[in-house]
Amino acid sequence: MARKENRPITDLGTLKALAHPLRMQLYRGLCVAGTATASQLADQVDEAVSLVSYHLRKLAEHGLIEAAEAQSGDGRERWWQPASEGVSVRDQDFRDAPERAAAHLAATRLFHDQRAAMYRRYLDERPTWGPEWNSAAPDSESLLRLTAAELDELRAELLALARKYDELGRAAEATGDTEGRENVALHVYGFPFRV
């Protein structure tokens, strides 16, 4: 089943559904796995299968995930997959009312906290990855002087570059080139600040 490219989230209900700590973990886990069952995801997040099933149904109610084709002969297992390649949540879609702006801010903080936790876990596990991965993993900060339009252009170029490498990796993997491939998280933040 072909998935939609990237789903913009513009309604408050869907944003609130995704901005739940466990649901975001489950959504991220499905994006990495491609397809999974509630029991597989429950093992990843160390929660009860019944609780995971409940939250998967909530994500499905908002069209964030969907039923996937069964990957095994066990007809009792329900398989899930993301409904799109990803989601985007933009500030401009939630500025029109204080409640919407507050929900967007809370969701953004949750997403950032979970990303920071992922990076801290990598730092804690760094010795187990070996020198080739640790040398390749970028950790940098650039302090630029830009206009808002230039920052937006930079954002678009970085996103296009990340997509290019994602497509290369997935195409190689589809041909059986899996040697040395790992999941890689790329977190990019660009924001104005004053000193």
Side-chain angles (χ1 to χ4, degrees):
M1 176 184 298
R3 294 187 295 174
K4 299 174 226 123
E5 269 193 36
N6 194 16
R7 177 180 174 194
I9 295 177
T10 57
D11 68 286
L12 195 54
T14 303
L15 178 64
K16 286 181 176 181
L18 187 61
H20 180 283
L22 180 56
R23 287 183 200 147
M24 188 60 215
Q25 279 185 287
L26 296 171
Y27 181 78
R28 188 177 282 117
L30 271 178
C31 287
V32 170
T35 59
T37 64
S39 10
Q40 290 169 336
L41 292 167
D43 287 343
Q44 286 180 20
V45 299
D46 196 27
E47 293 288 353
V49 175
S50 58
L51 180 65
V52 168
S53 292
Y54 169 80
H55 286 294
L56 289 172
R57 287 192 304 275
K58 287 296 178 189
L59 290 170
E61 283 174 22
H62 291 277
L64 295 164
I65 66 171
E66 61 193 11
E69 207 172 290
Q71 306 294 309
S72 70
D74 187 350
R76 295 172 298 162
E77 290 182 316
R78 185 167 189 184
W79 289 80
W80 297 96
Q81 68 185 12
S84 60
E85 287 183 13
V87 296
S88 63
V89 182
R90 300 177 320 165
D91 168 73
Q92 67 195 39
D93 294 324
F94 292 92
R95 284 187 215 142
D96 58 341
E99 178 192 354
R100 289 171 54 80
H104 177 261
L105 179 59
T108 302
R109 287 181 190 276
L110 169 72
F111 302 154
H112 175 76
D113 289 346
Q114 286 189 344
R115 290 177 194 142
M118 287 176 70
Y119 187 63
R120 282 192 301 274
R121 180 175 172 192
Y122 160 71
L123 292 176
D124 292 343
E125 296 173 351
R126 185 179 253 171
T128 67
W129 283 101
E132 70 282 355
W133 278 105
N134 290 316
S135 296
D139 181 357
S140 65
E141 180 177 357
S142 300
L143 303 174
L144 313 172
R145 292 284 295 166
L146 303 174
T147 65
E150 290 165 342
L151 179 57
D152 191 46
E153 185 178 339
L154 176 59
R155 176 201 55 78
E157 287 182 29
L158 289 171
L159 184 58
L161 186 61
R163 280 191 180 136
K164 172 190 159 187
Y165 277 91
D166 184 42
E167 288 168 7
L168 286 172
R170 289 181 190 280
E173 201 164 42
T175 66
D177 178 7
T178 58
E179 183 69 29
R181 284 193 193 283
E182 297 285 352
N183 297 312
V184 172
L186 178 65
H187 300 159
V188 178
Y189 302 100
F191 50 89
F193 70 98
R194 294 187 177 112
V195 288

